[in-house]
Amino acid sequence: MSRSSINLLEKFTQFSEHWSPRVVAEMNDYQFKLAKIQNEFTWHDHKDTDEVFFVIEGSMTIEFRDGKVDLKAGEMFVVPKGVEHKPYAKDECKIMFIEPRGVTNTGDAGGELTAKSDVWI
Amino acid sequence: MSRSSINLLEKFTQFSEHWSPRVVAEMNDYQFKLAKIQNEFTWHDHKDTDEVFFVIEGSMTIEFRDGKVDLKAGEMFVVPKGVEHKPYAKDECKIMFIEPRGVTNTGDAGGELTAKSDVWI
């Protein structure tokens, strides 16, 4: 077992691409992923799982079909399973998100922003 | 569905007791809990689940039978299931930890630091 802490800001220095999640930890069958995001993501949902967003640095908005929630550093939000959402950040925002291993970032929506789901740093 | 962000530092203003976890969010059958900790906790393990520690403010140490890991704000660590550990903080430290709903904070060890497992704020 590793005896090293996982320093999130240090991990963020290891990549620069937007909407390209990196796994930093696993708890049982759940993964903790970091992403740098900017501009609009794809409308999508996750049929079988809730998804947690946690903002580490910056601010973002999660749009829903009937509203939105604004998040800034130190704030989190749980998107319930099956709820369509579209993450958005005007300026670059650093987030951690949590979901079961194997979940695809765009759900069933697909498209060019679909990322590999299991890239570790 | 709630459309409010969960602001962790604001949540921490709502309680002051040490080693007294408060649930702030659920994702599927997992709970996100906040705690203020100081001094030594009880040696214990969780036979059936990993446990994530994430330091929001301050610093803490997780002792193991054969070592330790130091964590400061912005750092996280996953304690694997079945591994005995003892959290410790010299000064008050604010943490978030994540584990399945229903897990007891002291595992099977019991003792006076055992807390109710499902208190929401």
Side-chain angles (χ1 to χ4, degrees):
Chain A
M1 138 189 177
S2 164
R3 286 288 156 64
S4 300
S5 64
I6 299 163
N7 185 303
L8 301 188
L9 288 179
E10 190 280 322
K11 291 287 189 186
F12 276 115
T13 67
Q14 297 184 30
F15 67 104
S16 57
E17 307 93 316
H18 291 161
W19 306 111
S20 184
R22 302 297 202 274
V23 183
V24 295
E26 280 186 348
M27 171 191 59
N28 302 328
D29 53 347
Y30 282 75
Q31 290 187 324
F32 291 71
K33 302 176 183 177
L34 302 184
K36 294 180 178 180
I37 68 173
Q38 188 167 13
N39 299 323
E40 292 193 349
F41 197 62
T42 309
W43 277 109
H44 70 288
D45 65 357
H46 303 286
K47 297 283 189 295
D48 301 320
T49 183
D50 302 340
E51 181 177 22
V52 166
F53 289 83
F54 184 79
V55 175
I56 304 299
E57 197 174 273
S59 60
M60 70 175 294
T61 297
I62 306 174
E63 295 181 33
F64 305 100
R65 292 298 186 183
D66 61 351
K68 68 182 180 74
V69 61
D70 296 313
L71 301 177
K72 60 180 189 293
E75 295 184 339
M76 58 184 284
F77 189 80
V78 185
V79 177
K81 61 181 162 188
V83 172
E84 276 193 295
H85 57 286
K86 183 177 74 170
Y88 167 79
K90 178 173 180 291
D91 301 309
E92 184 178 272
C93 178
K94 298 183 176 75
I95 67 171
M96 180 164 71
F97 59 106
I98 306 161
E99 57 195 7
R101 189 188 305 125
V103 167
T104 300
N105 63 337
T106 50
D108 297 328
E112 64 181 14
L113 290 172
T114 302
K116 291 180 181 174
S117 67
D118 202 24
V119 181
W120 282 74
I121 54 174
Chain B
M1 141 190 176
S2 164
R3 287 287 156 68
S4 300
S5 64
I6 300 163
N7 184 302
L8 300 188
L9 289 179
E10 190 281 321
K11 291 286 188 186
F12 275 116
T13 67
Q14 298 185 28
F15 67 103
S16 56
E17 307 93 313
H18 291 161
W19 306 112
S20 184
R22 301 296 201 278
V23 182
V24 295
E26 279 187 347
M27 170 191 58
N28 302 329
D29 53 347
Y30 282 74
Q31 290 186 326
F32 291 71
K33 302 176 183 177
L34 302 185
K36 294 180 178 181
I37 68 172
Q38 189 167 14
N39 300 322
E40 293 191 349
F41 197 62
T42 309
W43 277 110
H44 71 286
D45 64 359
H46 303 285
K47 297 284 189 293
D48 300 320
T49 183
D50 303 339
E51 182 177 21
V52 165
F53 289 83
F54 185 80
V55 175
I56 305 297
E57 196 173 274
S59 59
M60 70 174 294
T61 298
I62 307 174
E63 295 182 33
F64 305 101
R65 291 300 186 183
D66 61 351
K68 68 181 179 74
V69 63
D70 296 314
L71 300 177
K72 61 181 188 293
E75 294 185 340
M76 59 182 286
F77 190 79
V78 185
V79 178
K81 62 182 160 188
V83 172
E84 277 193 294
H85 58 284
K86 184 176 74 170
Y88 166 79
K90 179 173 181 289
D91 301 309
E92 184 179 271
C93 178
K94 298 183 177 76
I95 67 170
M96 179 164 70
F97 59 106
I98 306 161
E99 57 194 8
R101 189 186 305 123
V103 167
T104 300
N105 62 338
T106 51
D108 297 328
E112 62 181 17
L113 290 173
T114 302
K116 291 179 181 174
S117 66
D118 202 25
V119 181
W120 281 74
I121 55 174

